[in-house]
Amino acid sequence: MSLRLPHSDPGTPDTRGPLLYIWWLVRSQPWRVLRGAAIGTIWMVGLALRPYLIARAIDDGLRTGDHRALLFWVAAIVVAGLLLAYAGIMRHRTMTFVREDASARSAAVLLRQLTRIGAVLPRKLAAGEVATVGGSDIVHTSQVLTMTGPGVGAVIAYAVVAVLLWSVSPTLALCILVGVPAVGLAVGPLLRRLERVESAYRREQGELTTRAGDIVAGLRVLAGVGGRGLFARRYATRSQALLAKGYRVGAVGSWVQALTLVIPGLFLAAVVWLAARLAAEGTITIGQLVAAYGYVAVLMVPVWFLLEGTRQTIRGRVSARRIVALLNLTPDPVDGSTAEADSPGRAVAGSTGGAGSSAEAGGGGSSAEAGGSGWVGGEPWPAPDRAAELRDPATGLTVPAGRLVGVAAADPAEAGALADRLARFAPSDVSWGGVPLTAIELAEVRARVLLADHESYLFAGTLRDVLRAGRTTGGDAEIRAALRTAAAEDVADALPSGLDSEVGARARTLSGGQRQRVRLARALLAEPEVLILVDPTSAVDAHTEARIADRLRTARSGRTTVLLATSPLLLERADTVAYLRDGRVVATGSHAELLAREPGYRALVARDTEEVRR
């Protein structure tokens, strides 16, 4: 038996509800689940076989003194034990494959969904929530599939034991038939309470994980402003509150586990007492008494599996509900795409980046998203076959092809919104070469238009891999050229192994300015036809910024570049500068021209100059 992890095509999950999602995991591996159910049933029912064999050995061998019959039944008991041991091994092996397949399949569909919604994800779900869903929630959901193996076997074994006991005594059989459901009813209220407290605990756990990630990411800043102690105390307070809720979850869970063991034990004692009374009255034989004890003792195993499986189902349903909530997230509607295109089960194409994302991290959307009302006859419009101007009617901005255009926005939020529209990360009427940007195949837009901001994510890996961002093209010469343009040669030279040095997640070992220059070098190395940069030098000193401005103009000569910044060192190198205020371009011209005739522009860049001098 081999496990094929569903990396290439995990399938289309059913996201209408948590139980339907779990059922989809079952349907995705039908033969393995059926094999697990069959082996689990054989193992469970086989447990009830041994008391029957022992009863026959007592009644047919010991009581009658028939040594030959005794040896026969003893041999049968030994063989049954060996077969049960083998069945137990195969049951555990098969169910491990079932659970691992479900975990891998859930991880694959979640990864596909995260790639699909891309840059939209941070605005819709906290990072801690994503980490929790992608970790423990996947495991808890896959554990529910244990019910498809031993769970099915437990139900069948329960019925078989009831039939066997009926042959011994209908009274004992009725006790089994009535008692086991009564056990479930006794534990039921606790299971419902467990679901409630578990849901609240998992939600706050995700929030606290997000808080911890934010603190670690901004640790240097917090230390610089003296806020490390304050945030540590706040985190400790939230952590203690979560700990208290964790204790409540543990308390309910411990009661459930205790009752799972105690109630079947009390039930066993009651049935054995009743069987002993029947044996004392002569209603059943000594062998039947031993068999009845064995049947009821064996019955504790399926009863325990059923109760434990129910507890796992409650916990798994809570986790599956969180998985489904993530899978049901949809990207921002950038083109009026259909509901089918937004289905979380769709395969997606990667993105080159977005506001709040990077060329490496990828943006949201698939080629399917580009279908919609903007298409002609259901087909995408062809993209411009050469460099073409970008036009944003919302602001009145026009970006000529092959030019370096600076945009100075009085409101940083307006600059970010403009960048999202130009790169098709938000609904807009932007046109590219006269063609609506939303009518072009999304994969084409992602391949030719790159939006890179100064806070985009840096993944772990060697510096060379970080700069290549998953691309196989670009040798060391191109990498060195991009580093030089971004004034980041010193970053590579300072590392012990140069480009082969390992850089951790988010490159926390580098300073803020170094990380920003690495991000800029990564964007330049991609060599997109249209490059949109958002504050690419906000964390570097004035001398470094001046070098970057000169080299950026040379490196991007003849290619369209949009530079959203308020730094005069960058804006004075631009071919044209647009002054954006109150959502509209109110003036255009060179940096010197705008300084001379626009007081608002002059005040805007003057504030930036004062910040640089400080």
Side-chain angles (χ1 to χ4, degrees):
M1 186 189 309
S2 63
L3 175 62
R4 292 185 177 89
L5 297 180
H7 292 309
S8 57
D9 184 18
T12 303
D14 191 335
T15 58
R16 292 174 295 172
L19 294 181
L20 290 174
Y21 177 80
I22 294 172
W23 178 239
W24 170 76
L25 292 176
V26 174
R27 290 187 290 108
S28 298
Q29 44 178 333
W31 295 111
R32 187 180 289 127
V33 169
L34 287 175
R35 184 164 55 246
I39 297 175
T41 299
I42 291 172
W43 181 71
M44 285 283 186
V45 173
L47 293 176
L49 177 64
R50 286 187 298 178
Y52 170 78
L53 297 176
I54 293 173
R56 295 300 302 271
I58 293 174
D59 288 341
D60 297 348
L62 287 178
R63 292 184 62 192
T64 61
D66 189 341
H67 297 292
R68 188 172 181 178
L70 180 62
L71 289 175
F72 173 80
W73 290 115
V74 168
I77 293 171
V78 173
V79 172
L82 294 175
L83 292 176
L84 280 176
Y86 178 75
I89 293 172
M90 294 307 298
R91 172 195 62 80
H92 181 73
R93 173 184 170 85
T94 302
M95 297 316 301
T96 299
F97 273 94
V98 169
R99 288 189 294 268
E100 290 301 315
D101 182 282
S103 295
R105 198 174 299 274
S106 291
V109 296
L110 283 173
L111 179 61
R112 187 173 67 187
Q113 169 70 348
L114 295 178
T115 303
R116 188 176 79 96
I117 59 179
V120 178
L121 180 63
R123 301 199 297 268
K124 294 192 174 183
L125 205 63
E129 188 79 2
V130 176
T132 304
V133 171
S136 55
D137 283 337
I138 287 179
V139 175
H140 292 161
T141 302
S142 65
Q143 287 175 345
V144 178
L145 272 68
T146 301
M147 290 292 290
T148 63
V152 173
V155 174
I156 297 177
Y158 163 65
V160 170
V161 168
V163 171
L164 291 175
L165 277 177
W166 191 274
S167 65
V168 174
S169 169
T171 303
L172 294 176
L174 287 175
C175 288
I176 295 295
L177 292 173
V178 174
V180 172
V183 171
L185 292 175
V187 181
L190 280 175
L191 293 175
R192 288 191 292 272
R193 176 171 172 77
L194 178 63
E195 182 177 14
R196 290 194 300 271
V197 297
E198 181 89 14
S199 297
Y201 175 78
R202 302 290 292 170
R203 182 177 60 256
E204 294 201 15
Q205 185 183 42
E207 294 174 356
L208 190 62
T209 303
T210 301
R211 176 69 63 88
D214 291 343
I215 291 175
V216 172
L219 195 57
R220 289 186 178 181
V221 177
L222 291 175
V225 300
R228 185 163 53 183
L230 174 63
F231 275 83
R233 288 190 295 273
R234 288 180 179 176
Y235 179 82
T237 301
R238 290 285 301 275
S239 180
Q240 289 298 317
L242 182 64
L243 179 64
K245 290 193 174 183
Y247 284 147
R248 285 197 288 272
V249 174
V252 178
S254 64
W255 274 105
V256 171
Q257 290 185 341
L259 292 177
T260 299
L261 296 175
V262 171
I263 293 180
L266 295 175
F267 180 60
L268 169 65
V271 174
V272 170
W273 176 82
L274 180 59
R277 289 291 303 271
L278 293 175
E281 295 172 356
T283 306
I284 61 175
T285 65
I286 298 299
Q288 288 176 325
L289 171 62
V290 174
Y293 171 79
Y295 293 149
V296 178
V298 165
L299 193 61
M300 289 187 65
V301 176
V303 170
W304 180 86
F305 264 105
L306 288 175
L307 293 176
E308 179 66 15
T310 303
R311 187 179 71 86
Q312 289 181 344
T313 301
I314 293 295
R315 186 172 60 177
R317 186 167 69 173
V318 172
S319 296
R321 185 179 295 117
R322 291 156 56 86
I323 293 175
V324 167
L326 196 156
L327 291 176
N328 281 329
L329 291 179
T330 57
D332 287 339
V334 294
D335 52 53
S337 54
T338 61
E340 180 183 2
D342 284 335
S343 169
R346 287 272 182 173
V348 298
S351 163
T352 38
S357 70
S358 71
E360 184 176 357
S366 71
S367 58
E369 287 180 79
S373 58
W375 289 11
V376 177
E379 296 296 329
W381 289 28
D385 57 2
R386 60 177 63 88
E389 71 174 15
L390 276 170
R391 185 184 298 272
D392 177 40
T395 59
L397 176 69
T398 298
V399 181
R403 305 298 295 275
L404 175 59
V405 176
V407 178
D411 185 353
E414 292 179 354
L418 172 61
D420 280 346
R421 291 195 300 272
L422 292 177
R424 196 174 150 185
F425 283 99
S428 73
D429 295 320
V430 172
S431 63
W432 187 21
V435 178
L437 192 62
T438 56
I440 301 172
E441 189 80 48
L442 184 61
E444 181 80 6
V445 177
R446 294 290 180 258
R448 298 172 62 181
V449 180
L450 171 61
L451 168 56
D453 74 9
H454 61 285
E455 295 182 347
S456 54
Y457 194 89
L458 292 172
F459 287 91
T462 64
L463 181 59
R464 178 182 287 103
D465 292 338
V466 169
L467 291 169
R468 283 179 173 174
R471 291 179 298 273
T472 57
T473 58
D476 285 0
E478 290 81 3
I479 293 175
R480 289 288 180 183
L483 287 172
R484 183 183 183 281
T485 301
E489 311 104 303
D490 62 307
V491 177
D493 294 339
L495 295 174
S497 301
L499 293 175
D500 294 319
S501 299
E502 289 289 333
V503 178
R506 296 184 182 272
R508 292 191 179 96
T509 55
L510 304 179
S511 68
Q514 288 175 325
R515 288 195 296 269
Q516 190 173 59
R517 286 179 284 155
V518 168
R519 293 185 182 102
L520 177 58
R522 180 178 61 183
L524 293 169
L525 187 62
E527 297 187 340
E529 183 177 324
V530 179
L531 176 60
I532 303 168
L533 297 172
V534 180
D535 282 330
T537 59
S538 59
V540 302
D541 60 78
H543 296 292
T544 303
E545 186 176 28
R547 292 199 305 272
I548 292 174
D550 289 332
R551 295 171 184 178
L552 179 64
R553 179 180 176 84
T554 302
R556 292 292 299 173
S557 178
R559 284 175 291 185
T560 306
T561 306
V562 182
L563 186 60
L564 294 104
T566 56
S567 165
L569 293 173
L570 292 175
L571 295 174
E572 68 181 357
R573 268 74 168 186
D575 297 314
T576 305
V577 178
Y579 176 37
L580 185 64
R581 186 178 63 195
D582 297 329
R584 296 290 299 177
V585 173
V586 296
T588 59
S590 68
H591 173 64
E593 292 171 346
L594 292 180
L595 281 177
R597 71 171 190 260
E598 282 294 331
Y601 177 83
R602 186 165 54 247
L604 177 64
V605 298
R607 286 196 301 270
D608 186 72
T609 301
E610 292 299 319
E611 290 175 5
V612 171
R613 287 176 180 173
R614 285 198 299 269

